[in-house]
Amino acid sequence: MSGFSSEERAAPFTLEYRVFLKNEKGQYISPFHDIPIYAEKDVFHMVVEVPRWSNAKMEIATKDPLNPIKQDVKKGKLRYVANLFPYKGYIWNYGAIPQTWEDPGHSDKHTGCCGDNDPIDVCEIGSKVCTRGEIIRVKVLGILAMIDEGETDWKVIAINVDDPDAANYNDISDVERLKPGYLEATVDWFRRYKVPDGKPENEFAFNAEFKDRYFAIDIIKSTHDYWKALVTKKTDGKGISCMNTTVSESPFKCDPDAAKAIVDAKSSFLLSLSLSLSLSLSLSLSVSLSVCLSVCLDLTHSFNFYGHQKCM
Ligand SMILES: [Mg+2]
């Protein structure tokens, strides 16, 4: 068990939906800044954003205070990835390594492209279907250099250390050997997944070949250095929220009460929204009730009137 827990606000698949993360004391934290990159030596933390086989594009909200997970929105609409034949939704548990950042102001020496402004992405290939907001410990096996509309977007391949088969996976060659076709499917998926949205196919550096675990760990470490510069204000994050509760060198560090105030403010907004909704609902209900009542009275009146006439 990681000791971290998550708390959902509002209904999933709505614009208001958020997943906030909490530490072992139940205090709110940022999954981007407060969860340590390392769980132990050579084992990384991973924040699960999208459970395997699901389609909603959930992600750490880098610009919102405390960086809760929320569903991505494009042109006012919630984003879902299409089922790309023959796949169903995302084909791995998908998420990010905390305390990493792909710096958009830094051109990568391997790809020649700048970073995508997000924490580094992870595809977890274990057999368990994880849950949204779950924090798992992963062993890094390799990496793919995707180029998305001119931005570097590394995809780390990793396995949950709690997977019953984890001991058999130590490098990218083990994935090729023990899960034949999975890496080819991964490239195919990333190449085509935006095509149903009218976007071009994605491209890859290194002729779409996966690099090994050592290469992957070097890349992750470099993104950890970019994150350090971000959270200590040596790099301007331009809109990224660096609010955190644990990074002592960071000018954005706040106390747990300030973190709680962020979540409470979000909740009271939601509460007032639902209260006003139910108020307007009950108002319209009472209006329709009174309309009903007056129609009934009217009918009774007419009935009586005609009744009287008949008797007369
Ligand atoms: Mg990315």
Side-chain angles (χ1 to χ4, degrees):
M1 293 304 284
S2 67
F4 299 102
S5 59
S6 64
E7 197 174 291
E8 290 182 305
R9 297 290 162 128
F13 319 120
T14 64
L15 292 170
E16 295 78 26
Y17 178 70
R18 300 289 183 275
V19 183
F20 287 95
L21 266 291
K22 296 196 287 189
N23 65 14
E24 64 291 343
K25 290 181 197 154
Q27 295 162 327
Y28 295 106
I29 56 164
S30 157
F32 187 3
H33 308 301
D34 290 320
I35 295 174
I37 177 173
Y38 294 105
E40 57 198 81
K41 193 180 181 299
D42 295 331
V43 176
F44 293 85
H45 275 130
M46 170 182 172
V47 181
V48 177
E49 297 168 309
V50 186
R52 182 189 291 116
W53 313 136
S54 66
N55 298 68
K57 193 173 186 299
M58 299 281 182
E59 57 185 22
I60 288 172
T62 54
K63 293 182 176 167
D64 294 4
L66 285 186
N67 318 109
I69 295 170
K70 69 177 183 187
Q71 190 166 354
D72 191 19
V73 177
K74 265 271 161 71
K75 293 179 186 161
K77 284 189 176 164
L78 295 162
R79 270 185 83 187
Y80 296 88
V81 298
N83 289 322
L84 211 61
F85 183 83
Y87 317 116
K88 165 68 185 80
Y90 286 71
I91 59 173
W92 346 255
N93 294 299
Y94 189 70
I97 298 182
Q99 298 189 335
T100 63
W101 182 51
E102 293 201 57
D103 185 349
H106 185 270
S107 173
D108 187 279
K109 67 179 179 205
H110 305 287
T111 64
C113 297
C114 291
D116 73 348
N117 206 15
D118 283 329
I120 199 164
D121 298 316
V122 192
C123 303
E124 192 278 318
I125 62 161
S127 55
K128 182 181 146 186
V129 175
C130 293
T131 56
R132 196 182 304 127
E134 191 176 350
I135 308 301
I136 59 173
R137 299 172 303 141
V138 299
K139 198 195 287 189
V140 167
L141 306 171
I143 198 164
L144 175 69
M146 188 174 98
I147 315 290
D148 181 350
E149 296 182 55
E151 291 178 343
T152 306
D153 192 1
W154 293 103
K155 304 297 178 189
V156 172
I157 307 299
I159 190 162
N160 191 338
V161 294
D162 294 327
D163 189 276
D165 226 12
N168 296 324
Y169 290 84
N170 294 298
D171 212 332
I172 200 73
S173 54
D174 299 320
V175 189
E176 286 162 4
R177 187 168 50 86
L178 298 169
K179 290 185 188 283
Y182 204 2
L183 294 180
E184 289 84 346
T186 297
V187 173
D188 185 39
W189 195 97
F190 278 121
R191 193 188 297 283
R192 299 192 289 124
Y193 84 104
K194 282 187 177 171
V195 173
D197 302 330
K199 293 277 180 71
E201 289 190 346
N202 283 321
E203 287 167 21
F204 304 89
F206 312 118
N207 199 27
E209 278 161 20
F210 288 80
K211 291 291 183 182
D212 66 11
R213 68 178 295 248
Y214 300 103
F215 191 101
I217 289 170
D218 274 351
I219 296 292
I220 297 167
K221 282 180 176 165
S222 71
T223 62
H224 183 48
D225 291 339
Y226 296 137
W227 169 81
K228 275 185 198 159
L230 171 74
V231 84
T232 56
K233 221 178 173 178
K234 292 188 178 85
T235 308
D236 178 8
K238 296 188 184 83
I240 287 195
S241 173
C242 291
M243 182 179 184
N244 69 84
T245 63
T246 54
V247 187
S248 49
E249 322 85 84
S250 170
F252 306 104
K253 186 175 179 240
C254 68
D255 57 36
D257 287 343
K260 187 173 179 298
I262 295 290
V263 183
D264 289 348
K266 187 91 202 160
S267 313
S268 62
F269 166 73
L270 284 173
L271 195 69
S272 64
L273 194 76
S274 65
L275 270 177
S276 64
L277 263 175
S278 54
L279 194 70
S280 59
L281 208 77
S282 52
L283 265 177
S284 58
L285 201 71
S286 58
V287 165
S288 17
L289 263 175
S290 60
V291 166
C292 250
L293 202 67
S294 64
V295 166
C296 285
L297 279 172
D298 224 35
L299 276 176
T300 327
H301 181 253
S302 325
F303 179 77
N304 284 342
F305 177 75
Y306 290 116
H308 268 289
Q309 278 214 325
K310 222 179 173 181
C311 290
M312 268 164 68

